[in-house]
C-alpha cells in the first residue's frame, strides 16, 4: 500500500471505521395501499406465521368466492404461512462476498480511491441487490394449490395476472419496496 503524504488524511484514514450503519430491507415509510408496512409482511414471509381468526358469515362468503370452502361447522380459521427464510438464505449465500466487499471498500478509502460515504453506499446497494435476487430466484417450494386458486381468482379480470405459482412474487410490491440506507452514526 502506498502511504499518503498528507498526515491529516493519513490519520483520518487509519482510524477505525465503525461510524456507519449499512442497512438493506424495508423501512418505515414503505407501506402497501391498505397501510400495512411492507417490512411486516416481509418478516411474516421470511419467518412464517400461524394466524387464528374467527370466521363471520360475510368472511365465509368471501372465502367461498375465492375458492376456499370451509366445512359448515368451522367457526375458526387457521392460516399457516410457511417460512421462506429468504433473508437468512441471502446472508448465507453472500456472507463471504459481503465481508470481502467491506474489506475492499475500506482499502479503497484508505488508499484515497473513494470516500467512506460512497463506499458504504455501494455496499448497501450490493446487499439490497443480493436480497432481491434471493427473493426473485430462491428455490422455494411452490405455493399451495389454495394459494394459487386465490391468486387466480384475484387476477381473473385483470390484465396483469401476477405470478401465480412463484412464492414471494405476486404483485411485486414487496420486491419493489426493498431499499437500502447508509447512516453515519
Amino acid at each position: 500500500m502506498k502511504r499518503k503524504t498528507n498526515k491529516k488524511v493519513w490519520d483520518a484514514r487509519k482510524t477505525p471505521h465503525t461510524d456507519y450503519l449499512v442497512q438493506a430491507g424495508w423501512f418505515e415509510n414503505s407501506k402497501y395501499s391498505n397501510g400495512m408496512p411492507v417490512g411486516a409482511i416481509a418478516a411474516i414471509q421470511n419467518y412464517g406465521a400461524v394466524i387464528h381468526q374467527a370466521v363471520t358469515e360475510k368472511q365465509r362468503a368471501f372465502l367461498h368466492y375465492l375458492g376456499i370452502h370451509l366445512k359448515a361447522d368451522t367457526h375458526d380459521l387457521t392460516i399457516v404461512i410457511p417460512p421462506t427464510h429468504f433473508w437468512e438464505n441471502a446472508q448465507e449465500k453472500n456472507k463471504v462476498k459481503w465481508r470481502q466487499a467491506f474489506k475492499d471498500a475500506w482499502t479503497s478509502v484508505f488508499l484515497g480511491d473513494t470516500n467512506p460515504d460512497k463506499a458504504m453506499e455501494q455496499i448497501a446497494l450490493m446487499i439490497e441487490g443480493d436480497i432481491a435476487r434471493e427473493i426473485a430466484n430462491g428455490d422455494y417450494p411452490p405455493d399451495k394449490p389454495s394459494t394459487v386458486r386465490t391468486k387466480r381468482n384475484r387476477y381473473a379480470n385483470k390484465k396483469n395476472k401476477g405470478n401465480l405459482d412463484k412464492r414471494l412474487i405476486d404483485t411485486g410490491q414487496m420486491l419493489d419496496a426493498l431499499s437500502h440506507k447508509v447512516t453515519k452514526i
Side-chain angles (χ1 to χ4, degrees):
M1 282 189 210
K2 181 172 81 173
R3 178 177 170 175
K4 297 288 181 181
T5 56
N6 182 329
K7 182 167 177 19
K8 188 175 178 182
V9 171
W10 174 258
D11 289 341
R13 290 193 178 129
K14 70 178 186 176
T15 58
H17 298 289
T18 57
D19 51 349
Y20 285 90
L21 176 62
V22 175
Q23 298 173 294
W26 297 270
F27 301 99
E28 54 281 345
N29 60 344
S30 295
K31 297 187 186 300
Y32 287 102
S33 59
N34 66 1
M36 177 68 77
V38 177
I41 300 302
I44 289 170
Q45 292 296 332
N46 185 66
Y47 298 111
V50 177
I51 303 165
H52 300 283
Q53 181 175 336
V55 180
T56 65
E57 286 307 312
K58 188 175 182 179
Q59 290 167 329
R60 181 184 297 279
F62 181 68
L63 290 170
H64 183 78
Y65 168 77
L66 293 176
I68 301 170
H69 306 287
L70 302 178
K71 295 178 183 175
D73 62 343
T74 302
H75 302 291
D76 292 320
L77 180 64
T78 300
I79 300 169
V80 178
I81 300 170
T84 54
H85 300 295
F86 63 85
W87 177 246
E88 291 85 352
N89 292 347
Q91 285 180 305
E92 188 60 33
K93 288 178 182 177
N94 296 291
K95 67 182 175 185
V96 172
K97 178 176 106 175
W98 294 350
R99 205 173 291 127
Q100 188 61 48
F102 275 102
K103 288 177 186 176
D104 292 347
W106 285 116
T107 299
S108 290
V109 169
F110 185 74
L111 293 173
D113 297 334
T114 189
N115 67 56
D117 295 340
K118 186 176 179 180
M120 294 302 100
E121 180 69 23
Q122 289 172 337
I123 288 175
L125 189 60
M126 176 191 63
I127 293 170
E128 176 189 334
D130 290 338
I131 296 167
R133 271 186 292 288
E134 182 61 31
I135 290 170
N137 303 321
D139 185 24
Y140 305 112
D143 281 330
K144 291 181 179 180
S146 60
T147 303
V148 174
R149 272 193 314 275
T150 300
K151 288 180 181 182
R152 189 174 296 120
N153 288 337
R154 185 177 336 133
Y155 293 111
N157 298 320
K158 296 183 180 176
K159 186 177 181 180
N160 179 2
K161 299 291 185 188
N163 190 323
L164 298 179
D165 55 358
K166 179 85 170 135
R167 186 172 283 180
L168 296 178
I169 304 293
D170 184 359
T171 64
Q173 289 178 305
M174 186 175 88
L175 195 54
D176 289 344
L178 181 60
S179 186
H180 69 275
K181 66 181 175 180
V182 176
T183 310
K184 195 167 185 176
I185 50 176

